[in-house]
Structure formats: structure tokens, C-alpha cells
Amino acid sequence: MARVVVDVMPKEEILDPQGQAVANALPRQGFEGVSHVRQGKHFELEVADDVDDDTLERIAENFLANPVIEDWSVRRVES
Amino acid sequence: MARVVVDVMPKEEILDPQGQAVANALPRQGFEGVSHVRQGKHFELEVADDVDDDTLERIAENFLANPVIEDWSVRRVES
Amino acid sequence: MSAAGASIGVITFPGSLDDGDARRAVRRAGATPVALWHADADLHGVDAVIVPGGFSYGDYLRCGAIAKFAPVMTEVLRAAEHGMPVLGVCNGFQVLCEAGLLPGALTRNAGLHYVCRDQWLRAENTTSVWTTRYEPGAELLIPVKHGEGRYVAEESTLDELEGEGRVLFRYVEDNPNGSSRDIAGVTDARGRVAGLMPHPEHAIDPLTGPTDDGLGMFLSALDTLVPA
Amino acid sequence: MTETTHDTVTSPERVDSTEYAARTPELAQPYRELGLAEDEYQRIRQILGRRPTEAELAMYSVMWSEHCSYKSSKVHLRYFGETTTEEMRAKMLAGIGENAGVIDIGDGWAVTFKVESHNHPSYVEPHQGAATGVGGIVRDIMAMGARPVAVADPLRFGPAEAADTARVLPGVVEGIGGYGNCLGLPNIGGEVVFDESYARNPLVNAMCVGVLKSDELQLAHASGTGNKIVLFGARTGLDGIGGVSVLASESFSGDETGSGRKKLPSVQVGDPFTEKVLIECCLELYRSGLVVGVQDLGGAGLSCATSELASAGDGGMWIDLDAVPLRAEGMTPAEILSSESQERMCAVVRPSDVEAFMEVCRKWDVTATVIGEVTDGENLRVDWRGERVVDVPPRTVADEGPVYQRPVRRPAEQDRLVADDPGALPRPGSAGELRETLLRMAASPNLCSREWVTSQYDHYVRGNTVLAQPSDGGVLRIDEESGRGIAVATDCNARYTRLDPYQGARLALAEAYRNVSVTGSKPVAVTNCLNFGSAEDPGVMWQFQQAVRGLADGAAELGIPVTGGNVSFYNQTGGDPILPTPVVGVLGVIDDVTRRIPTGIGAAPGEALLLLGE
Ligand SMILES: Nc1ncnc2c1ncn2[C@@H]1O[C@H](COP(=O)(O)OP(=O)(O)O)[C@@H](O)[C@H]1O
């Protein structure tokens, strides 16, 4: 068993209303100094040892991310 | 400027229908070997250098996560 | 004080949607609705407060997560502590949970879709300020419309709620969102702060809703605010 | 398409100003990549007496596109005007040519309604494409001074069992629901139709209905020298730049490969919360009398809004592009002018009202910026970094684009198609077969319950929905005291229309008319969304011409005006166009909504069932 993390983020040039909402709300709560926020998704997968990087990449691209508007990164972590 | 990543995940004991939907869909699309998927949120923040760890922790705990249902982790990353 | 003398505040956050409906329901029940703005640091002397449905501040982070920090909510928390009746409907329920006035949290529907439909509920608690007009066990038909209405809380909290009779309503027949123990609404220990996902304000007139079964909640509150 | 080389001019060191353009007439420009024909490009040079700057080229190319200029449909759409009598026009406060038609419904109330297509974007990115389709039509309605009160969504998809439909349909429904629900607009009608011809060309049409007091009508014009132009709502980013990215110079690109911004997705992401706040903000601005003219930003963004406002006004306009609040760094003038960032509006405001205008925007936390003013000249002038990048007669951009009389030819195969009638098909012969046929029909994708779709839409919000799904027409109360209400329905049977486009359009109108009538309402006006294949296919143009005639003649027969509409051509992949799909929307009025008639067989036993008509 391996643990895999996939982070999916809205592309830089694409509007991110979620991140913007967080960024706007922080000062109202008295938190200053956060200039920019982007919000995306974080997936944690448990995968069998024989699942190779290429398969993981395809899973990320086809299922977890929407390549039209999102970027993603795949990494294996210690479990 | 520092870059900070906050990951927020549903607590283990809380049903995660989104992660489950992904896990169920994968075998149908011919991807075997993924036994468990959980879906959470991934935030990337740009923060001023004088924002300390304690403040970041409070932002995560009081705002980005709901401690009733979610766990979170905060880490600074290279920018 | 006459019924019309009782005034019930309805909060409008940017993104509130059912505030007009809540005010209409208050009027229909015979009280005076007072519009409260999210930035108000003052409840304008109202006798009770309704936190209505909608998508406060867009609800992009988590439903109710931003609204709980609104200046008006500070006042609501203070007033609730002194026993002011507060009702949260849908997004309002989410806000009250986020703000810690009610236990638990509301999460993504188990079916993963937004669901708008007429829903049967059973009145479980008929002693709270907001439910005295209902017979115990009465079944009501009231709309639900939400994407994040699955009520969750720790098992011990759920046991406590059940033990103290603080479950207000339960879904009957089909649970629309996968809520723990079919819970549709809960109240605080004093029976004054209540929250539910279904929309009583959309069931006050069979012309525009499935029934008028929701009107009882507003009438119940008036009974307390304006003792006969 | 062959890649032509061209020089990009604007760079951090140099601006492609009108003055520079005048000095460099020979510079090769990428007009073809921007969709302009050779003669169109030459006409622009003629109008300006020089080559256009990059910013001007961007403006003309989007504004002269089929979508914005109606260049292939204009000659046909005139027929609507020609067949509308004074009597039909009597209740019409705004008609074809305005952002949306407006009808006086009595008691001082007026209603505006319109359908728009967002077909291709919804195929590329179903969720966001459909969501921004709703956002766009809602802003059209706001631009008339109305409060949006309901939406409806006529949809067409490929076969229900096709794999791609499983990608497109759920995303579209989620997008429409997600956006409309968050705006607090009840969804009170629509259609879901499956057909092979829509497989790679789904149709996502969105209707919005708005209500206003008849004396509150807003018009999109910029008048009054010295009045300020205010851009308000979301910031301007690189969304939907699409083809215009060929104008981005390499030095502006963040991309090390040096391929400019060609790879930018032309997808826009919707922000319904910003739009919701924008609605409330606009309505407060209107109520406070702070707006002289207003225009929404949709396709073609600022290019469209500024040129249309100026064109409809009585003077010129000056815009300072540096004042536009941006979301992305290093945007060129062409990009700022072409950006299709959502949730933006543009208003004309008297100088003395600017402060009050800003105050209302601050209350709603809406970004608002003065970006220019109405001038007493003729031209629309745009400056950037102190240099003039646009100097054009606005009418040549907005109203005097090319007009084509495209070839129209009834397809040779039409006769064969019509001759192939269903008489030869086997018919159920026994009660058992009849039963089986009925059950199969009831279970078929085109007839089965639409609940999977409609349960994702809020139809209760605002508390005025008197009839919605599964009723034949949606009915809304608009005046709580008098009980006055309105009804809407949209319909189109595209298979009939394929067999006979003239009759098909009439049938679509008749069906929507009936669906409004059976709610107990009186039909008063028509809108449409004409979805067709390529305008360059003479057979498609024949379908189009016939459908317009059928719809116009039908409306004249019924005595209700066509108040507006939308044309979507090029719904085809390869040589096969979609079925001709002229979606027709009918608006009705009901004096007392308590007298509405729900769909369905009565509840009491012993009621008689009557069949009316032949
Ligand atoms: N995409 C949609 N959005 C909203 N309502 C819809 C949609 N599709 C169908 N409906 C509604 O569902 C009901 C049934 O639709 P349909 O089967 O097309 O009816 P009909 O055949 O009578 O026109 C109608 O009330 C219609 O308005």
C-alpha cells in the first residue's frame, strides 16, 4: 500500500472565486498580511504497490482534475 | 512574502461521499488498485513575513477548517 | 403587547436569498418583520431573530463559515445568551452551527447533488419556542432545497441531543441528504435557539408552497413573545 | 488553417497607437486568425483611413463576428419587424435591438424576458459554460432596469446513453443549478431533449425573466457630455480571450516557450455570489436614480459595452484603459478590451452622482471605477499608458458591421426526407402491443420524468412560484396585493422542424402558446433562440429563413409580437448540422394567480376528461 496525494488547483489565469472569498474575509476577522489565497482540492489515495506513476497521472488528469481549468500535482508520501 | 499551504480533510470517522464517489468510479473506468480516496481542500496563501505560525494556526482552525468535522495541517513552503 | 407589536428581525447577508420569504412569513403570522443588515452592530430592538436561507457571502469556503463573523452575528450571539429566540433556516442553520450556537455541522449531501423537493418531516420536539404549535409526532410537508444539509455530529453529541429531546424534526420516508439519525433540525438546551434545513417560510400558503405546515413555527414563536 | 506570420507590436517598450499605425501601413496583421475576411479587413482600413491598431483590430473582429453582428441573420430577422403591426406593438416598451424585449402588462408593471445560447462553451466545459450562460442572460435582463425573477433552461443533448452525454449533461445541470440557485432565481421551466445530432453540439439555452415598473426602464445609451463611464463588478482578467490571444506579444507572455497566450483556455469561470450582489447593487442604483444609461458586459466585453453605449448615445466617448481594475498582470489593450470576464456592468453616471454611486457600490462591496466619460466628439477613443490605442466611429463597430446575403437553397434531399413518412412503420395491433409501446415510450429518454434534472433547481426561492415543474408552463406571482402574475414556456420540436422548418417553427410557437394558455394565462409576447448549423451551408440558411418566416407569420396570426431573440449558428461538427432548433419562448399574463390551472388530471373521482380540438 502506498499513499498518494493529489492537489488540484484552479489555473493561475482562471478566476478563483473561492480563494478570493477567503482572502476578502480574512481582514474582516482581524487577520492582516495574507495577500493572496487560492483554493483547490486535496485528495488522499491509498493505492496498491503495483500502481505505477503513469497510471496515477492518468487518474489525476481524467478524474480528479478538470484539465480545462485546473492544474494538478501528484506525489507519493510516506504512509 | 512566504507561501503557506493549508490542507483540510474530513475527519476519518466522517462520511466523505465525494471521495467515495471517486473511489467507486475508478474501477468502472478500468483503474484498479485504488482502495480508498478522501477528498478535502487545499489552500495556498501568500503571507507577509511577519505573520507568525501561531496566527496561521488560528486562521486554519477558526476559519479554513471546521474542527467539528475536519482536520487540518499548515506548512510553509519554498516560494 | 399585541402580536403586531412583536417584531422579528430577519438578517440579510450579501448572498441571502430567502430573507424576503422569511419576512413574508413573519408578516403572515401577524408580527412585524424587521430587516437586519449583516453590517449592523445592533438588533434594532427586535424580540427574535431569523437567520434565513441562501448562500451568505457565496458560501464558497464552507456554508456559513464567513457569515459567523458578521458584526450582526456578534449581537445575535449576545442576545441568544440572554434568551432571545433565534431561528436558523438552511443557510441560517449552517451559520448557527458554525457560530457554535447549535452543535454539529452540515456537510455535503450524501447524494452529492443539490436537492429541491417537498419533504415529509416529523415534529419530535414540540416544546421549543419555535414548535409549540405542533402536535407531538405531527407530520409536515415542507420544501428542502440545499446541497449541504447532511447533519453530522459526534456520536456522543447525537446521543445527548436525543436524550434531551433536542431533535426538533426528523425526515420521514426518504432522508434527502444522509443526515445522521434522519435529523432535520435541532434546538439548544433551552429550546430557544433552533435550526433546521427544511424551509418553513416556503410552506405558509398552498399557493406558493406545498402546504401551510410551516406557518406553525412562526406562530409558535409569537405565542411565547406575546403571551395570551 | 495555415499559420501566417505577423508582427506583434505592443510590447513593454512600444504601444501600437493610432499614430504608430498611421506610420506603419504595411505591417502584416493577423486578421484571418481573428476570423475577419479579407474584404472585412479592407473595409476597416477604409473606415479608419489607415490600418487598425491591435486594439482596434480586436474590437472590430469580435464585434463583427457572427455572434455579435448577426451578419448572416440580419437580412432574415428584418422579417420580424415587417410582420409586427402597430397593434401588436402597442404593449411593447422595448423590442428587437434592445438588450431584451419589454412588455407592459398593466397596473404599471412591465416584464422583460430573453433566451440566450451558451452552446459551445458548455460543450468544452459543461459546468462553467452553462453557469456563465445563466449569468450572461441575467445581466441582459438587469441592463433593462429589471429585477430578474426567474430562469428556464431549454437543453438539447446527444443520445442519453452516449458516453459523452454522461460528461456533458450532469455538468450542465450542475452549472445551471449552481449559478441560478445561488442567485436566488427560481427555475420554472425548460426542456431536456436527446438526439444524435446534438452529440458534439449540445444546446444550452437559458431564459431569464425580469420585472420592473414600466417607468423604470433603463436604456443602453451614453448621452450627456461630461457624464462618467463607470465599470463595476468583477475585475477584468484573461478569461475568454480566445482568438485575441494571437495579438499578445511574446514579451507579454508568462510562458517561456514564447508562444504568446495562444494556449490560454477561453473558458470563463462564473462567480454567482458576485453576480447576486451585483443585482442588488444595480437595483439600488436604479431606485436611487443614479444611472443615465447601463450596459451589461457579455460576449466581447468592454469592446461591446463601450461601442454600443457610444453608438446608441449622442456624442463620443473616451476610455482610459489604465483605470480598468485588472486581475492579471501585463494585459495588453486588446486583451483588456476583449476580456469576457463575467459579472461586470458598465454605467453612464452624471458627475454629480458619482460619489453617491460609489457609496452604493461600497455598501454592496462591489468594485466600481470611473474609466472614462462621454465626450462631445463623434468617436470612441481609448487611451492606454498615455497613448491613443483606439479612435473609431462607434457605429462602425457596433451597428454597421458587414451584412451578408448568404446563399439559401432548399436541400435536394428534403423531398426524399418528407416522402419517407411514418405510414410504413409497424403499428401496435393488439392491446398487449399497445401497452408495450406505451410503456416503452413512457420510459424513453425523451419522455421520461425530468425530475433528476429539475430537483437540482430551486423553484421555491422568492416565494412567488405558483407553478413550476412538472407544469406545462411556469407561473409566477409578481404583485402580492393584486395577485397579478406571469407565465412562461419554451418549446421546440426540432424533428418536425427538420421536415418542414416553416411549419416546425410555427408548431414550436403554437406549443409554447398552448403551454402558457393551459396555465390560465393569456399569451402576450414571444422570444426565441434560433439554434442552427453553419450559416455558410445554403441548406441550413434555407432552414433558418423558413423558420424565421414561420415564427413571424405565426406570431402575426396569433397577434403577439416577437420582442427579441438570439441566433446561434455553426452548431455543427464536420458536415452534419444539428437539427434546426428554433426554441420559442412565450410570455403570458394572468390577472389573478390564485386562478392558475395546474397540469394533471383532477383529484376528485368522477371528473370528466374532455379532448378539445381536432
Ligand atoms: N431543463 C429543464 N429545466 C427546468 N425545467 C424543465 C427542464 N426540462 C423539463 N422541465 C420541466 O419539466 C416538465 C416536463 O417537461 P417536458 O417533458 O418537456 O414537458 P412537455 O413535454 O409537456 O413540454 C415541464 O414542467 C418542464 O418545464
Side-chain angles (χ1 to χ4, degrees):
Chain A
M1 273 301 162
R3 281 218 324 151
V4 173
V5 167
V6 180
D7 288 319
V8 175
M9 293 300 283
K11 286 189 180 169
E12 223 15 87
E13 66 276 9
I14 293 252
L15 176 70
D16 171 21
Q18 310 188 77
Q20 215 170 11
V22 170
N24 293 341
L26 284 170
R28 287 203 297 269
Q29 295 160 37
F31 293 115
E32 300 292 342
V34 178
S35 54
H36 194 69
V37 180
R38 292 190 77 78
Q39 176 175 340
K41 297 174 194 150
H42 178 84
F43 294 90
E44 294 183 4
L45 286 69
E46 270 168 37
V47 304
D49 291 328
D50 61 353
V51 175
D52 59 15
D53 288 355
D54 188 54
T55 306
L56 290 175
E57 190 58 35
R58 278 185 297 133
I59 289 177
E61 173 167 359
N62 295 320
F63 273 95
L64 307 181
N66 175 351
V68 180
I69 50 175
E70 292 169 328
D71 293 325
W72 63 94
S73 73
V74 180
R75 65 180 202 277
R76 290 175 184 265
V77 295
E78 305 293 298
S79 24
Chain B
M1 273 301 161
R3 284 217 325 150
V4 174
V5 166
V6 179
D7 288 318
V8 174
M9 293 300 284
K11 284 189 178 168
E12 243 349 289
E13 65 275 17
I14 297 251
L15 174 71
D16 170 21
Q18 308 187 82
Q20 225 167 46
V22 173
N24 294 340
L26 286 172
R28 284 202 300 269
Q29 305 291 325
F31 293 111
E32 300 293 342
V34 178
S35 53
H36 194 66
V37 180
R38 292 189 75 77
Q39 175 174 342
K41 296 173 192 153
H42 178 83
F43 298 89
E44 294 183 4
L45 287 69
E46 268 167 39
V47 304
D49 291 328
D50 61 352
V51 176
D52 61 14
D53 287 356
D54 189 53
T55 305
L56 291 175
E57 190 57 36
R58 279 186 296 130
I59 288 176
E61 173 169 0
N62 296 330
F63 188 46
L64 301 182
N66 176 350
V68 177
I69 47 172
E70 293 166 328
D71 295 325
W72 64 95
S73 72
V74 180
R75 66 179 201 278
R76 291 177 183 263
V77 294
E78 304 296 296
S79 28
Chain C
M1 175 160 60
S2 73
S7 64
I8 300 188
V10 177
I11 298 179
T12 299
F13 300 103
S16 289
L17 303 179
D18 300 307
D19 44 344
D21 302 276
R23 291 196 299 269
R24 183 189 293 119
V26 167
R27 214 176 304 122
R28 184 71 57 114
T32 305
V34 175
L36 301 175
W37 183 236
H38 73 124
D40 288 353
D42 174 4
L43 297 183
H44 300 286
V46 297
D47 304 303
V49 170
I50 297 175
V51 190
F55 293 81
S56 50
Y57 306 93
D59 275 347
Y60 292 135
L61 169 62
R62 203 172 54 244
C63 298
I66 296 182
K68 74 172 162 185
F69 294 106
V72 75
M73 283 307 296
T74 311
E75 299 307 308
V76 170
L77 290 178
R78 190 172 304 149
E81 203 171 300
H82 292 108
M84 178 180 284
V86 178
L87 175 67
V89 176
C90 195
N91 191 226
F93 185 18
Q94 294 161 340
V95 173
L96 297 184
C97 289
E98 280 280 336
L101 276 180
L102 293 171
L106 293 140
T107 58
R108 188 85 191 265
N109 291 353
L112 294 177
H113 292 296
Y114 182 98
V115 53
C116 173
R117 72 178 197 212
D118 300 338
Q119 174 69 43
W120 284 102
L121 308 176
R122 189 170 55 241
E124 300 279 15
N125 165 318
T126 55
T127 58
S128 84
V129 169
W130 297 95
T131 52
T132 49
R133 286 274 184 129
Y134 298 106
E135 299 286 332
E139 296 200 347
L140 329 171
L141 186 63
I142 288 184
V144 291
K145 48 185 194 93
H146 58 250
E148 304 195 12
R150 178 168 50 101
Y151 186 74
V152 298
E154 300 214 359
E155 284 301 309
S156 57
T157 308
L158 295 171
D159 290 341
E160 196 179 306
L161 286 171
E162 305 248 24
E164 295 175 5
R166 288 167 53 195
V167 174
L168 272 190
F169 297 103
R170 246 187 261 272
Y171 300 115
V172 290
E173 291 178 7
D174 223 2
N175 179 335
N177 50 36
S179 279
S180 303
R181 307 192 194 181
D182 298 328
I183 290 174
V186 300
T187 169
D188 70 344
R190 288 187 287 176
R192 302 188 76 82
V193 178
L196 75 168
M197 286 314 293
H199 288 263
E201 82 285 12
H202 285 302
I204 59 164
D205 180 350
L207 179 68
T208 51
T211 60
D212 60 3
D213 290 352
L215 199 55
M217 292 199 74
F218 306 94
L219 294 170
S220 298
L222 282 193
D223 289 346
T224 305
L225 298 176
V226 191
Chain D
M1 199 187 284
T2 53
E3 289 269 328
T4 29
T5 53
H6 59 265
D7 309 322
T8 42
V9 179
T10 303
S11 71
E13 297 77 42
R14 188 177 43 208
V15 175
D16 189 19
S17 63
T18 53
E19 183 250 337
Y20 183 73
R23 278 194 284 126
T24 52
E26 71 296 339
L27 193 100
Q29 294 193 282
Y31 59 87
R32 277 207 186 79
E33 288 90 328
L34 292 169
L36 286 169
E38 170 71 32
D39 56 335
E40 291 174 338
Y41 176 66
Q42 290 309 331
R43 224 188 107 204
I44 297 169
R45 293 188 71 124
Q46 206 175 26
I47 290 168
L48 300 176
R50 57 172 164 77
R51 74 161 175 87
T53 64
E54 285 173 352
E56 288 167 339
L57 187 63
M59 268 182 112
Y60 278 104
S61 70
V62 267
M63 290 303 290
W64 285 12
S65 69
E66 187 64 55
H67 177 70
C68 294
S69 73
Y70 289 80
K71 57 187 167 191
S72 304
S73 54
K74 234 178 197 161
V75 294
H76 301 288
L77 297 178
R78 286 190 191 127
Y79 191 68
F80 285 127
E82 290 160 21
T83 47
T84 307
T85 61
E86 277 315 306
E87 200 183 338
M88 287 157 74
R89 227 182 283 274
K91 294 271 166 58
M92 207 156 85
L93 302 179
I96 293 175
E98 300 294 339
N99 279 312
V102 182
I103 288 285
D104 184 339
I105 64 153
D107 277 359
W109 289 103
V111 176
T112 173
F113 72 134
K114 191 179 181 194
V115 191
E116 276 247 349
S117 62
H118 224 214
N119 302 338
H120 187 64
S122 304
Y123 179 64
V124 176
E125 188 357 68
H127 184 124
Q128 296 300 340
T132 52
V134 174
I137 188 65
V138 166
R139 286 192 301 281
D140 265 324
I141 293 302
M142 277 156 67
M144 301 311 296
R147 172 181 278 284
V149 292
V151 292
D153 58 330
L155 308 175
R156 302 289 184 283
F157 301 102
E161 58 284 354
D164 201 42
T165 302
R167 170 187 73 97
V168 177
L169 186 147
V172 164
V173 171
E174 235 175 69
I176 290 170
Y179 207 96
N181 295 344
C182 190
L183 292 190
L185 296 178
N187 186 308
I188 60 169
E191 300 157 77
V192 182
V193 178
F194 301 93
D195 185 275
E196 179 63 43
S197 81
Y198 307 113
R200 281 187 285 169
N201 300 276
L203 303 185
V204 174
N205 294 178
M207 175 194 258
C208 182
V209 186
V211 170
L212 64 160
K213 286 291 190 173
S214 40
D215 56 5
E216 288 171 351
L217 186 64
Q218 295 285 346
L219 291 176
H221 64 175
S223 62
T225 302
N227 281 345
K228 301 294 178 191
I229 310 298
V230 182
L231 179 64
F232 61 117
R235 288 172 168 270
T236 300
L238 287 165
D239 329 51
I241 300 278
V244 173
S245 55
V246 301
L247 290 172
S249 75
E250 292 174 17
S251 37
F252 272 94
S253 161
D255 182 342
E256 298 80 38
T257 62
S259 57
R261 282 189 173 133
K262 265 180 213 172
K263 283 185 292 184
L264 273 186
S266 57
V267 175
Q268 305 127 41
V269 169
D271 177 357
F273 170 66
T274 294
E275 179 120 327
K276 164 68 180 166
V277 171
L278 198 55
I279 294 175
E280 301 303 331
C281 180
C282 274
L283 291 169
E284 189 166 336
L285 291 167
Y286 300 157
R287 269 199 309 274
S288 315
L290 298 172
V291 173
V292 176
V294 66
Q295 175 70 292
D296 59 299
L297 275 78
L302 267 177
S303 292
C304 181
T306 54
S307 63
E308 288 193 349
L309 278 171
S311 178
D314 43 22
M317 187 185 284
W318 170 76
I319 298 290
D320 174 17
L321 278 192
D322 295 305
V324 174
L326 301 180
R327 215 181 64 232
E329 278 168 35
M331 287 179 74
T332 65
E335 288 173 333
I336 300 171
L337 285 166
S338 315
S339 162
E340 295 191 350
S341 286
Q342 301 289 298
E343 293 94 21
R344 297 178 298 163
M345 300 283 287
C346 197
V348 181
V349 183
R350 281 177 292 270
S352 54
D353 288 336
V354 168
E355 192 36 47
F357 187 103
M358 296 297 168
E359 188 56 42
V360 172
C361 291
R362 271 194 295 276
K363 169 180 168 190
W364 289 100
D365 219 346
V366 166
T367 307
T369 316
V370 174
I371 61 164
E373 62 183 43
V374 180
T375 59
D376 52 13
E378 297 260 291
N379 274 13
L380 169 60
R381 301 195 162 91
V382 179
D383 289 353
W384 186 67
R385 303 206 175 152
E387 300 206 47
R388 182 129 308 164
V389 292
V390 172
D391 194 343
V392 297
R395 272 163 217 87
T396 65
V397 180
D399 296 326
E400 294 160 9
V403 174
Y404 291 127
Q405 187 87 48
R406 302 263 190 212
V408 169
R409 194 170 343 104
R410 185 171 188 270
E413 95 241 9
Q414 195 72 17
D415 287 333
R416 189 181 46 75
L417 192 72
V418 174
D420 183 13
D421 71 37
L425 295 177
R427 297 177 137 243
S430 64
E433 278 173 31
L434 196 59
R435 179 172 189 278
E436 202 267 331
T437 304
L438 184 71
L439 288 178
R440 218 174 41 210
M441 284 176 65
S444 69
N446 277 328
L447 295 177
C448 70
S449 164
R450 266 73 186 111
E451 202 176 297
W452 188 87
V453 172
T454 58
S455 69
Q456 297 187 49
Y457 301 153
D458 185 350
H459 58 266
Y460 280 116
V461 67
R462 300 188 61 71
N464 287 316
T465 307
V466 172
L467 292 177
Q469 306 84 7
S471 163
D472 289 321
V475 176
L476 282 184
R477 175 174 65 188
I478 62 172
D479 184 341
E480 242 175 292
E481 253 146 53
S482 67
R484 181 170 293 258
I486 54 170
V488 288
T490 68
D491 284 289
C492 177
N493 185 321
R495 288 168 65 95
Y496 289 167
T497 311
R498 175 78 174 82
L499 285 173
D500 184 337
Y502 182 86
Q503 293 297 350
R506 276 160 58 94
L507 279 166
L509 171 64
E511 188 179 354
Y513 190 95
R514 282 198 305 276
N515 280 333
V516 162
S517 306
V518 296
T519 64
S521 307
K522 181 175 163 14
V524 294
V526 182
T527 190
N528 65 64
C529 189
L530 308 175
N531 306 274
F532 286 79
S534 166
E536 282 141 62
D537 175 338
V540 167
M541 280 317 282
W542 173 77
Q543 294 174 333
F544 182 78
Q545 176 209 50
Q546 291 294 305
V548 167
R549 298 204 153 236
L551 179 55
D553 289 348
E557 271 172 69
L558 293 170
I560 57 176
V562 176
T563 63
N566 177 247
V567 178
S568 171
F569 278 127
Y570 300 101
N571 293 288
Q572 75 180 61
T573 307
D576 295 325
I578 58 162
L579 291 176
T581 315
V583 170
V584 178
V586 168
L587 172 76
V589 179
I590 178 167
D591 291 338
D592 178 0
V593 290
T594 61
R595 311 223 329 254
R596 88 282 183 207
I597 304 166
T599 303
I601 295 177
E607 288 181 1
L609 197 57
L610 302 180
L611 178 64
L612 301 182
E614 288 168 30

